[in-house]
Amino acid sequence: EVQLVESGGRLVKPGGSLRLSCATSGFTFSSYSMNWVRQTPGKGLEWVSSITSSGTYKYYADSLMGRFTISRDNSKNSLYLLLNSLRAEDTAVYYCARDNGNYFGHDFWGQGTLVTVSS
Amino acid sequence: EIVLTQSPGTLSLSPGERATLSCRASQSLSDIYLAWYQQKPGQPPRLLIYATSSRATGIPDRFSGSGSGTHFTLTISRLEPEDFAVYYCQQFGSSLLTFGGGTTVEIK
């Protein structure tokens, strides 16, 4: 069974940093591109970042202005997102999601981890 | 950035009725690059449709997708009680992925 479990979300002050993790199981992690998607409470989905299976290529939403960094450790079957210079508008549930290897779509999602940025 | 605009924002329908949801792209997309998701409160999104019209694993055939170019449609032929939710389209035509703003299908 494919599982993705996010962790690391918490209350953090503006300007602070945080690292989110996504532990995976049930599939060959090193064969799949992965993504982070966030959702502000009561609002829509926003794609944040993607990383290819080997970690060679990384992509980010323009709105982040270079503050976030995606990474992965294929030996640990884990995906990460480092969030720097956090702002109130970064408050959201952060989901990790797997890309299907045969077509374009995020076929498995975690339950999300809540990041709250507030003083 | 490819902008996706979904309409209507909210669709009020009764069980058994047909739902038609629209997703318009700011530039033309190949049909392989358009997906649809369903999200219920407190849950992550669930992939419904990929490549415009292919149903994901386990998705009932009352869900169908169509479209081309800049206009795509998700149709739910006969609404079941569990179909009342929020629906999002997403494009993969650019390395910078984007979602539409969502359509809420609510019980009338």
Side-chain angles (χ1 to χ4, degrees):
Chain A
E1 179 191 8
V2 172
Q3 291 195 321
L4 294 82
V5 180
E6 303 92 338
S7 61
R10 61 174 174 87
L11 174 63
V12 61
K13 288 181 167 44
S17 296
L18 203 56
R19 190 178 86 152
L20 306 182
S21 300
C22 174
T24 74
S25 61
F27 65 102
T28 304
F29 179 71
S30 59
S31 296
Y32 291 85
S33 294
M34 298 293 295
N35 307 268
W36 288 99
V37 175
R38 69 182 180 182
Q39 186 168 36
T40 305
K43 298 289 180 62
L45 300 172
E46 180 184 14
W47 170 78
V48 171
S49 183
S50 298
I51 186 169
T52 54
S53 58
S54 64
T56 301
Y57 298 101
K58 304 174 184 181
Y59 306 94
Y60 300 95
D62 289 342
S63 61
L64 302 178
M65 300 178 68
R67 297 180 297 119
F68 293 4
T69 303
I70 192 171
S71 62
R72 64 191 296 160
D73 186 338
N74 286 345
S75 69
K76 295 183 178 179
N77 296 328
S78 292
L79 176 72
Y80 306 100
L81 186 68
L82 177 62
L83 293 67
N84 289 323
S85 303
L86 283 162
R87 307 167 179 170
E89 54 264 36
D90 296 318
T91 295
V93 174
Y94 286 74
Y95 295 102
C96 65
R98 189 186 84 165
D99 271 354
N100 184 281
N102 296 313
Y103 56 77
F104 293 100
H106 303 328
D107 59 356
F108 287 94
W109 296 66
Q111 289 298 311
T113 188
L114 176 61
V115 173
T116 303
V117 184
S118 175
S119 55
Chain B
E1 176 181 301
I2 299 174
V3 176
L4 299 179
T5 302
Q6 291 188 242
S7 61
T10 301
L11 205 47
S12 298
L13 296 168
S14 300
E17 289 194 293
R18 181 184 188 90
T20 303
L21 289 67
S22 173
C23 174
R24 291 188 181 272
S26 60
Q27 57 186 270
S28 185
L29 289 172
S30 170
D31 60 2
I32 65 171
Y33 294 138
L34 198 287
W36 290 91
Y37 301 84
Q38 176 195 68
Q39 189 179 31
K40 298 179 181 179
Q43 296 183 18
R46 177 174 71 146
L47 178 66
L48 294 177
I49 300 285
Y50 63 90
T52 296
S53 59
S54 297
R55 281 185 296 277
T57 302
I59 302 303
D61 60 8
R62 64 180 181 272
F63 291 92
S64 63
S66 62
S68 63
T70 61
H71 188 207
F72 300 88
T73 301
L74 175 69
T75 301
I76 311 171
S77 59
R78 289 172 52 87
L79 283 164
E80 298 287 342
E82 61 268 27
D83 299 336
F84 291 91
V86 183
Y87 294 83
Y88 296 94
C89 56
Q90 183 191 26
Q91 65 78 24
F92 291 80
S94 157
S95 55
L96 303 186
L97 310 183
T98 49
F99 288 92
T103 291
T104 300
V105 178
E106 65 175 23
I107 300 176
K108 186 173 181 180

